[in-house]
């Protein structure tokens, strides 16, 4: 797939935008001709994530932003799925409890207290909407496990407690580049550009 001349990252989360900017440039190459834009630099838009799947939420965001600014938009919806919690917090990862990331991590660790099975995975679904064309979807996952306590100061969300498969560090202990070569968003973007 060839990327458009301009690509708006349809999120209000600057951390997520930074990750996408790095992932896209790293995977496509630093000679990339596409201009990558943080959506709030162009306009303001609040979208309620009312979908019942990651894909539905990603589509909602990509279509709403593309309609508003008439540019190609890439949106994602993602979540952390914990095996022993039947996939929770999943779709509700960002809003499982009121409050900041620390409160969400506290909720997770309390629910895993005394549990031996700490297998988990991050899932990301990307939706690319180019005006006048059908929406394109791709998915990526990153398997790992939940640490017994938060560690590291990098990243955001559940990064301080997620240890990716094959590593002994949490996402928050890894440097920005290392995390974003193996993350669920990186895998989803790799899958996206393989599409015709």
């Amino acid at each position: 797939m060839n990327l458009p001349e301009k690509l708006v990252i349809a999120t209000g989360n600057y951390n997520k935008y930074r990750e996408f900017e790095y992932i896209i440039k790293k995977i496509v190459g630093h000679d990339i001709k596409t201009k990558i834009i943080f959506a709030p630099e162009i306009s303001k838009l609040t979208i309620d994530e009312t979908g019942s799947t990651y894909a539905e939420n990603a589509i909602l965001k990509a279509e709403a932003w593309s309609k508003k600014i008439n540019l190609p938009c890439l949106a994602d919806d993602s979540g952390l799925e914990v095996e022993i919690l039947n996939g929770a917090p999943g779709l509700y990862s960002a809003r499982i409890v009121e409050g900041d990331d620390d409160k969400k991590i506290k909720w997770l660790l309390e629910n895993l207290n005394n549990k031996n099975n700490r297998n988990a995975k991050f899932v990301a679904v990307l939706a690319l909407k180019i005006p006048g064309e059908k929406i394109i979807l791709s998915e990526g996952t990153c398997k790992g496990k939940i640490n017994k306590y938060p560690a590291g100061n990098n990243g955001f969300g559940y990064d301080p407690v997620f240890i990716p498969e094959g590593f002994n560090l949490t996402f928050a202990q890894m440097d920005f580049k290392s995390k974003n070569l193996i993350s669920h968003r990186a895998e989803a973007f790799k899958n996206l550009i393989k599409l015709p």
Side-chain angles (χ1 to χ4, degrees):
M1 168 188 288
N2 293 320
L3 291 178
E5 283 182 18
K6 291 181 179 177
L7 181 62
V8 176
I9 307 302
T11 180
N13 183 330
Y14 188 71
N15 288 319
K16 197 181 277 194
Y17 162 75
R18 277 185 66 235
E19 290 192 356
F20 270 120
E21 183 184 39
Y22 176 77
I23 288 164
I24 293 167
K25 285 181 177 177
K26 188 71 181 175
I27 291 170
V28 176
H30 283 279
D31 58 345
I32 181 172
K33 303 289 191 290
T34 301
K35 184 178 181 187
I36 303 163
I37 304 163
F38 183 40
E41 291 176 355
I42 299 177
S43 186
K44 287 194 171 123
L45 188 59
T46 302
I47 300 150
D48 291 326
E49 296 184 350
T50 55
S52 58
T53 63
Y54 299 120
E56 285 177 10
N57 282 334
I59 290 167
L60 276 172
K61 291 183 265 191
E63 287 188 332
W65 272 103
S66 187
K67 185 177 179 183
K68 174 149 185 151
I69 61 179
N70 199 35
L71 285 170
C73 289
L74 180 70
D76 93 313
D77 195 38
S78 53
L80 176 69
E81 299 183 357
V82 181
E83 194 173 279
I84 204 163
L85 301 181
N86 298 314
L91 196 65
Y92 305 100
S93 294
R95 52 191 188 277
I96 193 71
V97 290
E98 287 290 324
D100 59 14
D101 291 341
D102 289 342
K103 288 191 174 145
K104 296 175 184 78
I105 288 170
K106 185 171 181 274
W107 173 90
L108 177 61
L109 295 180
E110 283 175 355
N111 277 273
L112 286 178
N113 196 26
N114 299 322
K115 302 265 196 318
N116 291 325
N117 178 356
R118 302 182 79 86
N119 293 339
K121 65 179 177 180
F122 271 120
V123 180
V125 174
L126 306 188
L128 174 62
K129 176 62 180 174
I130 297 172
E133 296 185 19
K134 284 184 180 175
I135 205 137
I136 300 166
L137 292 173
S138 70
E139 183 173 323
T141 59
C142 181
K143 292 181 179 178
K145 63 183 179 182
I146 304 302
N147 203 28
K148 291 188 175 176
Y149 51 87
N153 298 309
N154 298 326
F156 61 99
Y158 297 92
D159 287 355
V161 289
F162 182 80
I163 301 174
E165 211 169 61
F167 292 83
N168 294 314
L169 301 172
T170 67
F171 265 172
Q173 289 175 303
M174 297 172 77
D175 65 70
F176 182 81
K177 293 179 180 178
S178 299
K179 174 199 168 182
N180 288 298
L181 290 176
I182 63 165
S183 74
H184 47 309
R185 290 190 187 95
E187 291 306 308
F189 188 75
K190 286 174 195 171
N191 292 333
L192 180 73
I193 60 167
K194 285 177 192 167
L195 297 172

